[in-house]
């Protein structure tokens, strides 16, 4: 009982500090306290506490309680919970939960989660957050939009500078500064450095049958939304868990895991909620451990995009069963902001990251930080762009090498190692990706320790890579935001040839599921920079695998699906694609059919289809056309 009471007191204390933006322990240490209490008393009321007591401002009731999330830590646990159902995944942003109220489509109130039943009115601060829309695209509805207020790396950098100029206390982290600003009574305008991502809409005026439809509505109302991915198998879930692990180390805002939600809204109603969490949502978190160590030195790597990434070489320390000697510092801004130097004692954490990351400076030595004024690869001058240190030399050997290595790995030229590529570049055989396809067996035989048999094997692999899928080809180009699943979405949206890809616009990208404005802008800009490379590779004789579809009433048609169906949505989507049709996420002027069994005036897509004179067909009518 004594141990239980001690754990409960610690948990309540650290939970309160966390929501005040003044945490004294890491998330992983807090999770460990909860696990220890759960082992002693699974029914402890402390484990059911949601959020924290609302701040000193005006208290506002939540019409629908804002709950916490249950957690799992490995794919086996998650798969057991999934039980074969479709899931939607989003990154779990490490910020402050917020509820926005809209009356007749107009923004009227913002409130924190508080204790789940009552939150604090933060409307005045929310109005400073630029990406919170003042109106929904449907002006007649009453709705609650929930999401997370967060601070991006770039904004945190600028915010910290302004706070220093104002004589305010220096912020310690992106997550803590959000709670700090939300709790402030003065300097409310500093909230303009914050952002909001929406992940939920609650309304009696619309009916959604799938979770993914909520994100489509929010996107249409110009909310920033997370990258919502649909999962039908554990394989894609595992890939997303891995991508989140990478984002934790390199993303432009902080996440502490993933949120998985059943896609079927009927399943939500069936499972319901506990007093603590909804049974139809699950947080996936990475187990972690933090410790202190000392900085012994620095390394600056150069990415294929020319960004210099700092790594701290530290005194060896054991974390999660591994000896740690290297710690990612993420970017130039982190080094500058924290004035990290050789000899500093720092706190590091290892949870989802590939290598541990820096958390804070525990004890600072004298002097100021230093950084490379020239690129360690090409020795050209570096330039500072807010939080990033850049090499702007597009011919920088490190940038070129990383781009080619990314391509080699993505298209599967397995025997062409980093060492062999470096030798090829050193002797002038390869200067760009297209040069790989000009290599002969005789060229390969000139490489160190490369005999006839290996040379022939590498040559065959290079030539074989020209027979690939368009998705794999696009993913191999190293487009910014162009991961495999994103490229797959582009091709499945009907942009299924290089001719169409080269003409792809940012607006067309924004219409594709999973692309917000920022991600569409980044990928489009990156794609335009690769057009010349694409043309050169085209000339090398690439043959993309394609399916020849005979003429039929569905071929080339753009079809939007909404409402409940008798068959799984995935079955119908696959049928549309197999017949050469295109599945779209919204109704627009170019939509050919709206497929729905729920032809009711309350459906926004149905109303828009009628307004635009678009054919509305039922599931039965679709299969009549398809057959």
């Amino acid at each position: 009982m004594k141990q239980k009471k001690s754990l409960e007191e610690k948990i309540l204390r650290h939970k309160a500090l966390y929501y005040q933006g003044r945490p004294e322990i890491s998330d992983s240490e807090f999770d460990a306290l909860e696990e220890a209490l759960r082992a002693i008393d699974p029914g402890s009321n402390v484990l059911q506490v949601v959020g924290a007591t609302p701040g000193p401002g005006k208290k506002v009731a939540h019409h629908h309680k804002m709950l916490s999330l249950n957690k799992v830590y490995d794919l086996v646990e998650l798969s057991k919970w999934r039980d074969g159902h479709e899931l939607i995944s989003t990154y779990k942003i490490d910020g402050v939960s917020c509820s926005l109220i809209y009356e007749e489509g107009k923004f009227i109130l913002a409130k924190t989660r508080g204790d789940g039943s009552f939150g604090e009115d933060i409307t005045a601060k929310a109005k400073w957050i630029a990406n919170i829309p003042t109106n929904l695209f449907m002006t007649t509805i009453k709705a609650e939009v929930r999401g997370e207020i967060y601070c991006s790396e770039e904004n945190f950098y600028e915010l910290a500078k302004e706070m220093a100029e104002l004589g305010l206390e220096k912020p310690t982290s992106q997550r803590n500064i959000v709670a700090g600003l939300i709790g402030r009574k003065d300097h409310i305008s500093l909230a303009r450095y914050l952002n909001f991502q929406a992940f939920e809409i609650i309304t009696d005026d619309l009916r959604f049958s799938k979770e993914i439809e909520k994100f489509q509505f929010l996107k249409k109302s110009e909310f920033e939304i997370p990258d919502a991915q649909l999962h039908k198998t554990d394989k894609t879930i595992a890939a997303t868990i891995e991508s989140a692990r990478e984002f934790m180390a390199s993303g432009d805002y902080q996440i502490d895991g993933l949120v998985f939600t059943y896609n079927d809204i009927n399943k939500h109603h069936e499972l319901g909620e506990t007093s603590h969490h909804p049974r139809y949502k699950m947080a996936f978190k990475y187990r972690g451990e933090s410790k202190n160590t000392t900085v012994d030195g620095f390394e600056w790597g150069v990415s294929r995009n020319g960004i210099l990434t700092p790594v701290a070489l530290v005194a060896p320390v054991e974390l999660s069963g591994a000896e740690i000697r290297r710690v990612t510092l993420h970017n130039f801004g982190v080094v500058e902001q924290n004035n990290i130097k050789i000899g500093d004692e720092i706190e590091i954490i290892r949870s989802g990251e590939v290598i541990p990351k820096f958390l804070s400076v525990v004890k600072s030595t004298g002097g100021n930080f230093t950084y490379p004024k020239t690129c360690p690869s090409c020795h050209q001058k570096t330039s500072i762009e807010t939080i990033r240190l850049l090499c702007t030399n597009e011919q920088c050997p490190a940038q070129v090498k990383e781009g080619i290595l990314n391509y080699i790995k993505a298209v599967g030229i397995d025997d062409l190692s980093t060492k062999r590529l470096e030798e090829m570049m050193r002797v002038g055989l390869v200067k760009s990706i297209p040069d790989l396809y000009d290599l002969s067996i005789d060229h390969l035989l000139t490489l160190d320790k490369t005999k006839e048999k290996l040379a022939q094997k590498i040559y065959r692999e290079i030539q074989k890579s020209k027979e690939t899928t368009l998705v794999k080809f696009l993913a191999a180009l190293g487009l910014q935001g162009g991961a495999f699943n994103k490229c797959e979405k582009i091709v499945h949206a009907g942009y299924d040839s290089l001719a169409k890809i080269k003409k792809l616009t940012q607006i067309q990208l924004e219409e594709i599921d999973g692309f917000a404005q920022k991600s569409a802008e980044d990928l489009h800009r990156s794609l335009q920079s690769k057009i010349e490379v694409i043309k050169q590779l085209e000339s090398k004789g690439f043959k993309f695998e394609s399916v020849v579809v005979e003429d039929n009433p569905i071929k080339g048609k753009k079809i939007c699906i909404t409402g409940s169906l008798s068959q799984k949505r995935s079955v119908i989507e696959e049928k549309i694609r197999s017949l050469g049709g295109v599945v779209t996420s919204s109704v627009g002027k170019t939509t050919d059919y709206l497929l729905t069994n729920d032809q009711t005036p309350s459906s926004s897509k149905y109303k828009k289809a009628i307004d635009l004179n678009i054919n509305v067909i039922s599931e039965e009518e679709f299969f009549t056309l398809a057959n």
Side-chain angles (χ1 to χ4, degrees):
M1 288 297 293
K2 188 175 180 181
Q3 185 183 5
K4 176 192 167 186
K5 186 179 180 182
S6 174
L7 284 168
E8 288 178 334
E9 288 174 351
K10 286 178 182 178
I11 288 169
L12 290 174
R13 177 176 180 274
H14 288 300
K15 186 183 280 281
L17 288 169
Y18 176 83
Y19 284 104
Q20 292 166 20
R22 301 186 292 114
E24 292 181 350
I25 61 174
S26 68
D27 286 0
S28 58
E29 288 173 311
F30 181 81
D31 289 345
L33 289 175
E34 284 198 325
E35 286 187 52
L37 178 58
R38 191 172 286 110
I40 296 171
D41 180 12
S44 170
N45 290 333
V46 168
L47 294 172
Q48 306 306 313
V49 172
V50 175
T53 305
K58 180 183 175 184
K59 308 296 187 293
V60 190
H62 292 299
H63 184 61
H64 299 274
K65 194 170 181 180
M66 291 186 74
L67 300 172
S68 292
L69 293 174
N70 206 5
K71 297 186 283 278
V72 293
Y73 293 92
D74 62 54
L75 185 57
V76 174
E77 290 179 88
L78 183 63
S79 181
K80 185 178 178 181
W81 171 80
R82 181 173 82 88
D83 194 27
H85 293 283
E86 284 186 357
L87 297 182
I88 300 295
S89 71
T90 58
Y91 288 163
K92 185 175 180 293
I93 300 176
D94 195 9
V96 170
S97 296
C98 177
S99 164
L100 307 175
I101 305 300
Y102 288 80
E103 296 272 7
E104 295 185 348
K106 292 182 179 179
F107 170 50
I108 64 162
L109 174 68
K111 47 189 173 177
T112 62
R113 178 167 63 180
D115 63 4
S117 297
F118 290 86
E120 180 185 350
D121 185 339
I122 57 166
T123 309
K125 292 160 189 167
K127 286 181 177 179
W128 280 96
I129 301 176
N131 70 340
I132 291 181
T134 54
N135 296 282
L136 302 178
F137 84 93
M138 292 183 69
T139 58
T140 58
I141 71 169
K142 178 180 180 180
E144 177 182 1
V145 175
R146 292 180 174 178
E148 199 83 359
I149 299 174
Y150 70 98
C151 187
S152 69
E153 278 195 335
E154 209 155 312
N155 282 0
F156 179 70
Y157 179 82
E158 298 296 338
L159 171 60
K161 286 201 297 186
E162 183 165 335
M163 289 182 72
E165 290 168 2
L166 292 170
L168 302 176
E169 186 179 350
K170 181 182 176 183
T172 56
S173 77
Q174 289 162 253
R175 196 271 160 198
N176 296 345
I177 192 55
V178 178
L181 290 186
I182 293 302
R184 290 192 75 92
K185 293 181 180 179
D186 57 359
H187 298 291
I188 291 175
S189 63
L190 291 174
R192 72 187 186 278
Y193 287 105
L194 303 180
N195 299 88
F196 177 82
Q197 270 196 23
F199 54 70
E200 175 67 281
I201 178 169
I202 301 169
T203 177
D204 293 329
D205 296 329
L206 297 171
R207 189 173 74 173
F208 300 103
S209 62
K210 301 292 181 183
E211 183 74 9
I212 195 69
E213 293 172 4
K214 295 180 181 179
F215 290 101
Q216 292 161 1
F217 178 91
L218 291 167
K219 180 179 178 180
K220 197 166 183 180
S221 288
E222 299 186 348
F223 282 98
E224 180 186 335
I225 59 173
D227 183 8
Q229 300 289 331
L230 175 65
H231 301 282
K232 302 171 186 177
T233 67
D234 285 349
K235 184 178 179 180
T236 63
I237 290 172
T240 296
I241 288 172
E242 189 56 37
S243 75
R245 189 189 301 275
E246 293 171 4
F247 191 91
M248 287 177 78
S250 60
D252 61 354
Y253 54 86
Q254 292 185 339
I255 66 171
D256 58 359
L258 291 149
V259 177
F260 289 92
T261 308
Y262 283 113
N263 192 31
D264 186 352
I265 301 294
N266 286 332
K267 193 70 178 173
H268 296 198
H269 301 316
E270 177 189 327
L271 293 173
E273 302 163 342
T274 71
S275 61
H276 177 262
H277 62 266
R279 294 188 179 94
Y280 48 85
K281 285 180 182 280
M282 183 67 74
F284 180 95
K285 298 191 74 175
Y286 304 86
R287 294 189 187 277
E289 184 182 3
S290 65
K291 282 187 179 177
N292 294 352
T293 185
T294 306
V295 178
D296 291 339
F298 295 91
E299 285 182 358
W300 293 78
V302 185
S303 75
R304 65 176 184 267
N305 297 315
I307 300 170
L308 273 67
T309 305
V311 170
L313 307 177
V314 299
V317 61
E318 187 174 305
L319 274 181
S320 305
E323 184 178 76
I324 305 305
R325 293 175 178 269
R326 294 163 58 83
V327 176
T328 179
L329 300 176
H330 206 16
N331 57 48
F332 165 81
V334 169
V335 179
E336 182 195 39
Q337 201 114 60
N338 294 278
N339 194 26
I340 305 173
K341 306 167 297 300
I342 292 175
D344 283 355
E345 183 182 348
I346 62 173
E347 182 185 10
I348 64 174
I349 187 168
R350 188 185 189 213
S351 50
E353 302 81 13
V354 179
I355 66 170
K357 69 179 181 182
F358 163 84
L359 279 181
S360 64
V361 173
V362 178
K363 186 178 180 182
S364 179
T365 58
N368 294 311
F369 79 102
T370 59
Y371 66 93
K373 305 298 190 297
T374 60
C375 171
S377 174
C378 67
H379 307 296
Q380 297 291 313
K381 283 186 177 180
T382 55
S383 64
I384 298 171
E385 288 187 11
T386 60
I387 61 172
R388 294 175 184 85
L389 184 64
L390 299 174
C391 170
T392 55
N393 175 19
E394 292 183 1
Q395 302 307 312
C396 172
Q399 290 184 54
V400 174
K401 183 187 80 172
E402 290 300 320
I404 298 173
L405 278 174
N406 177 75
Y407 178 87
I408 288 169
K409 180 181 178 182
V411 297
I413 308 174
D414 296 332
D415 286 289
L416 189 43
S417 65
T418 301
K419 190 174 180 180
R420 288 193 182 92
L421 175 62
E422 288 173 346
E423 186 181 356
M424 288 176 181
M425 295 181 71
R426 191 167 58 249
V427 299
L429 287 176
V430 174
K431 296 178 181 178
S432 65
I433 293 171
D435 290 343
L436 294 170
Y437 298 95
D438 294 331
L439 293 171
S440 66
I441 292 175
D442 287 341
H443 286 138
L444 295 170
L445 285 170
T446 65
L447 301 178
D448 184 41
K449 297 179 182 178
T450 306
K451 304 298 182 185
E452 181 78 25
K453 187 176 180 180
L454 179 57
Q456 289 181 355
K457 187 177 181 183
I458 295 173
Y459 178 79
R460 283 196 303 271
E461 285 181 4
I462 293 172
Q463 296 306 310
K464 187 180 178 183
S465 70
K466 291 191 287 189
E467 297 177 11
T468 186
T469 65
L470 183 56
V471 173
K472 188 180 285 188
F473 175 83
L474 290 176
L477 292 175
L479 301 170
Q480 186 174 354
F484 186 91
N485 64 326
K486 291 285 194 178
C487 294
E488 193 172 42
K489 285 177 181 288
I490 292 170
V491 174
H492 284 176
Y495 303 100
D496 51 5
S497 69
L498 279 182
K500 292 177 183 177
I501 293 294
K502 287 186 289 187
K503 294 178 181 177
L504 189 60
T505 67
Q506 181 181 328
I507 292 173
Q508 288 171 324
L509 275 171
E510 289 179 29
E511 292 173 350
I512 299 172
D513 273 349
F515 282 93
Q517 181 181 348
K518 177 74 165 60
S519 58
E521 181 183 348
D522 289 344
L523 193 143
H524 182 258
R525 183 174 60 249
S526 183
L527 178 63
Q528 292 305 301
S529 72
K530 303 282 186 182
I531 293 296
E532 187 55 40
V533 171
I534 292 173
K535 288 179 180 177
Q536 290 178 35
L537 288 170
E538 260 187 301
S539 70
K540 304 299 180 184
F542 272 77
K543 295 178 182 177
F544 300 116
E545 298 170 12
S546 60
V547 178
V548 178
V549 179
E550 295 181 2
D551 287 339
N552 65 78
I554 302 300
K555 186 177 181 180
K557 302 297 183 184
K558 291 184 176 180
I559 302 175
C560 178
I561 305 172
T562 191
S564 59
L565 304 165
S566 66
Q567 297 195 48
K568 284 187 177 181
R569 187 186 181 108
S570 58
V571 172
I572 296 177
E573 288 181 350
E574 186 56 38
K575 183 68 174 178
I576 293 170
R577 292 184 181 120
S578 70
L579 293 169
V582 177
V583 179
T584 63
S585 62
S586 58
V587 174
K589 292 179 181 179
T590 59
T591 306
D592 295 292
Y593 294 111
L594 175 67
L595 193 164
T596 181
N597 291 335
D598 303 326
Q599 298 185 10
T600 61
S602 64
S603 166
S604 60
K605 290 180 180 177
Y606 182 75
K607 284 181 180 178
K608 189 165 186 180
I610 296 301
D611 290 343
L612 295 174
N613 202 28
I614 289 165
N615 288 322
V616 180
I617 59 173
S618 67
E619 187 178 348
E620 183 180 354
E621 289 170 323
F622 165 74
F623 279 104
T624 300
L625 283 172
N627 296 324

